[in-house]
């Protein structure tokens, strides 16, 4: 009995000794880290030869060079908040380096920063327009997908013009990378923003061979960053094909039925006054049809919503005739949005970024096997019909 008690006491003492060490063996002091919260990648505009091959006969062939910018936050940048004269220290520090591959270029940053770069809190990767048009996205992102320190939830965006400009702000307390993440939360209230694409999702898209969209971001002259449309990535080349504007994204959202909310601005034909329809729900069904060797699609779109605002003061909102007229006006506007984006993706870009091919694959797998190799080309030629049904379920508290 005494022997058992001694053993128990020794076990308890050992636990007490080890307890303070729990969770500390791999601990990293935050004061010693430079936390990377965002990364931008741009095609190097200087066109200078690489150091290792410059002036060397028979050296490696010239490769396009990439300028990588990491946005760091440290205990110093986020904790001081002090003012010197009229200027205030920025809440972030951007460091850039240029090279022809990703990891060696990132390692060269060690020569310029005094803290250990730590990417486990990285929130966003932004790729510049010129780089996305020039290089295969799979090659650009290979390191980030493989890197264990990168979070799978890291967002991927395309910048119109230079990506590094997106990581700059004129407001000292702003951290642009974190602001971008917050901006994606608006997806549920508008049809003009795409659902966020993360590193986890992009890997499947890159290997699918299908064309797809990535959220586009711009930096206007006033220095504020803004989501503006989407980038069309061609499936075969995995390169940037072009851009869709905000209205075209609205049309695409109606086609896919993936919108969670948003507004439609229509015009009352009787009075010429604007009416704003707020989406409470939407759904879309893409139906493929096969007739011999001919492929076609029907799109059935339905939505329920409310009159959020109208300027037709001569009409009572609850009147059946006015409600039917409003539903018709909204339907025509949605049809116009759908027609415009279909024309763009079918005839200009020739890229199925809205899932028609996937619907064909599911319903007619034997047909899909014969067309999947050149599906984007086939998609550009198939007829597509669409029908929109709008139902107003709510018209607010006013009867005017």
């Amino acid at each position: 009995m005494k022997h058992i008690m001694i053993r128990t006491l020794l076990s308890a003492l050992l636990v007490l000794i080890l307890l303070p060490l729990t969770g500390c063996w791999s601990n990293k002091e935050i004061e010693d880290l430079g936390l990377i919260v965002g990364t931008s990648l741009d095609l190097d505009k200087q066109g200078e030869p690489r150091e290792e091959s410059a002036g060397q006969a028979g050296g490696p062939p010239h490769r396009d060079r990439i300028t990588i910018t990491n946005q760091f936050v440290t205990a110093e940048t986020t904790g001081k908040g002090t003012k010197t004269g009229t200027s205030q220290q920025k809440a972030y520090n951007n460091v850039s380096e240029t090279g022809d591959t990703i990891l060696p270029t990132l390692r060269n940053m060690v020569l310029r920063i005094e803290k250990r770069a730590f990417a486990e809190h990285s929130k966003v990767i932004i790729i510049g327009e010129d780089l996305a048009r020039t290089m295969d996205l799979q090659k650009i992102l290979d390191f980030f997908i493989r890197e264990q320190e990168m979070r799978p939830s890291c967002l991927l965006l395309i910048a119109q013009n230079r990506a590094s400009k997106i990581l700059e702000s004129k407001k000292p307390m702003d951290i642009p990378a974190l602001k971008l993440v917050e901006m994606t939360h608006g997806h549920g209230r508008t049809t003009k923003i795409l659902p966020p694409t993360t590193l986890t999702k992009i890997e499947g898209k890159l290997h699918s061979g299908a064309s797809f969209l990535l959220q586009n971001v711009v930096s206007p002259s006033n220095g504020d960053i803004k989501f503006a449309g989407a980038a069309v990535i061609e499936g075969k080349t995995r390169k940037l094909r072009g851009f869709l504007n905000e209205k075209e994204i609205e049309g695409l959202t109606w086609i896919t039925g993936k919108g969670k909310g948003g507004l439609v601005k229509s015009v009352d034909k009787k009075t010429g006054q604007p009416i704003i329809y707020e989406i409470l729900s939407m759904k879309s069904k893409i139906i493929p049809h096969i007739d011999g060797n001919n492929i076609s699609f029907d799109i059935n779109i339905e939505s329920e919503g409310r009159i959020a605002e109208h300027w037709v003061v001569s009409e009572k909102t609850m009147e059946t005739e006015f409600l039917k007229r409003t539903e018709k006006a909204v339907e025509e506007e949605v049809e116009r949005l759908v027609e415009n984006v279909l024309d763009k993706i079918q005839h200009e870009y020739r890229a199925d970024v809205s899932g028609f091919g996937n619907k064909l694959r599911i319903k007619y797998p034997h047909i899909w096997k014969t067309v999947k190799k050149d599906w984007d080309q086939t998609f550009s030629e198939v007829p597509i019909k669409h029908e929109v049904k709008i139902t107003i379920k709510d018209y607010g508290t006013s009867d005017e």
Side-chain angles (χ1 to χ4, degrees):
M1 184 72 176
K2 184 177 178 181
H3 190 69
I4 294 174
M5 289 181 62
I6 293 173
R7 187 186 304 174
T8 302
L9 287 172
L10 286 174
S11 298
L13 183 61
L14 183 61
V15 169
L16 290 173
I17 292 172
L18 294 177
L19 190 61
L21 299 178
T22 303
C24 296
W25 290 338
S26 60
N27 186 49
K28 301 179 180 68
E29 295 294 336
I30 192 169
E31 292 84 0
D32 299 329
L33 299 176
L35 303 180
I36 300 172
V37 291
T39 300
S40 70
L41 300 102
D42 287 296
L43 187 67
D44 179 33
K45 288 290 189 179
Q46 302 302 317
E48 298 175 357
R50 298 185 303 162
E51 289 181 11
E52 57 265 44
S53 62
Q56 296 181 13
H62 174 75
R63 291 163 52 90
D64 289 315
R65 286 158 60 85
I66 302 172
T67 298
I68 305 175
T69 301
N70 274 338
Q71 183 155 95
F72 291 91
V73 294
T74 64
E76 289 80 4
T77 59
T78 58
K80 286 184 177 178
T82 56
K83 292 185 177 181
T84 304
T86 58
S87 63
Q88 189 172 7
Q89 180 184 349
K90 285 185 176 181
Y92 65 87
N93 179 36
N94 289 349
V95 179
S96 298
E97 194 66 45
T98 299
D100 63 1
T101 50
I102 304 297
L103 182 56
T105 304
L106 289 171
R107 288 286 171 86
N108 284 341
M109 286 188 186
V110 174
L111 306 176
R112 301 179 54 195
I113 58 176
E114 68 279 10
K115 294 181 181 290
R116 192 267 207 220
F118 190 64
E120 282 192 11
H121 295 279
S122 186
K123 302 295 184 183
V124 63
I125 297 170
I126 312 157
I127 300 175
E129 177 181 351
D130 289 339
L131 182 62
R133 287 188 187 275
T134 304
M135 288 190 184
D136 183 331
L137 282 186
Q138 188 168 345
K139 294 178 180 178
I140 297 171
L141 295 171
D142 181 77
F143 161 74
F144 297 100
I145 293 171
R146 293 175 185 273
E147 175 56 42
Q148 295 181 354
E149 204 172 86
M150 292 295 299
R151 286 192 175 184
S153 60
C154 186
L155 299 176
L156 186 65
L157 303 171
I158 299 292
Q160 211 155 340
N161 299 318
R162 299 288 287 178
S164 58
K165 289 185 178 180
I166 306 300
L167 293 180
E168 294 288 347
S169 175
K170 294 180 180 180
K171 300 174 183 178
M173 298 310 294
D174 273 1
I175 301 176
L178 302 185
K179 183 177 179 179
L180 286 167
V181 176
E182 293 298 318
M183 287 166 60
T184 63
H185 297 164
H187 164 63
R189 297 182 60 83
T190 180
T191 53
K192 298 179 181 181
I193 299 178
L194 292 177
T197 300
T198 62
L199 280 177
T200 300
K201 293 179 181 179
I202 196 65
E203 189 172 9
K205 290 178 184 290
L206 292 172
H207 286 93
S208 71
S211 298
F212 59 94
L213 295 176
L214 289 174
Q215 180 64 54
N216 184 41
V217 60
V218 298
S219 178
S221 56
N222 62 6
D224 279 339
I225 50 180
K226 176 187 176 183
F227 286 159
V232 177
I233 308 299
E234 190 175 36
K236 280 189 175 182
T237 64
R238 295 181 289 266
K239 294 179 182 179
L240 175 64
R241 182 76 173 83
F243 293 99
L244 300 179
N245 62 33
E246 292 174 30
K247 283 291 184 183
E248 290 159 348
I249 288 299
E250 286 186 82
L252 202 72
T253 303
W254 282 102
I255 290 173
T256 61
K258 293 181 179 179
K260 295 182 179 179
L263 306 173
V264 177
K265 181 181 178 182
S266 60
V267 176
D268 178 48
K269 284 192 173 181
K270 183 176 178 180
T271 63
Q273 295 298 320
I275 300 175
I276 310 302
Y277 171 81
E278 184 173 8
I279 302 162
L280 298 179
S281 68
M282 72 159 64
K283 59 182 179 180
S284 173
K285 190 173 184 180
I286 298 174
I287 306 168
H289 300 287
I290 301 296
D291 183 9
N293 294 324
N294 298 319
I295 301 170
S296 63
F297 291 92
D298 286 336
I299 312 172
N300 294 330
I301 298 170
E302 295 181 13
S303 173
E304 292 185 351
R306 61 187 291 268
I307 296 176
E309 177 184 357
H310 81 82
W311 291 35
V312 189
V313 294
S314 60
E315 301 280 355
K316 290 187 177 181
T317 306
M318 291 185 295
E319 293 290 339
T320 301
E321 190 272 335
F322 176 70
L323 289 176
K324 294 297 181 185
R325 202 168 76 223
T326 300
E327 287 173 346
K328 182 65 175 177
V330 176
E331 286 170 357
E332 290 178 353
E333 176 61 18
V334 173
E335 286 172 357
R336 188 183 67 81
L337 292 170
V338 169
E339 287 170 2
N340 286 346
V341 73
L342 279 176
D343 183 62
K344 189 76 168 279
I345 63 176
Q346 277 195 287
H347 304 132
E348 182 176 342
Y349 291 150
R350 298 184 178 186
D352 175 16
V353 292
S354 43
F356 288 90
N358 192 46
K359 297 297 183 181
L360 182 66
R361 177 187 63 82
I362 293 170
K363 190 169 184 180
Y364 300 104
H366 59 292
I367 297 294
W368 173 248
K369 288 179 182 179
T370 66
V371 299
K372 66 178 182 179
K373 185 177 180 181
D374 295 306
W375 172 243
D376 277 346
Q377 177 61 40
T378 303
F379 169 72
S380 70
E381 300 167 356
V382 299
I384 300 175
K385 296 179 181 178
H386 50 84
E387 183 177 328
V388 179
K389 175 62 177 175
I390 299 295
T391 304
I392 294 174
K393 304 290 287 184
D394 182 14
Y395 37 78
T397 57
S398 174
D399 64 352
E400 293 296 330

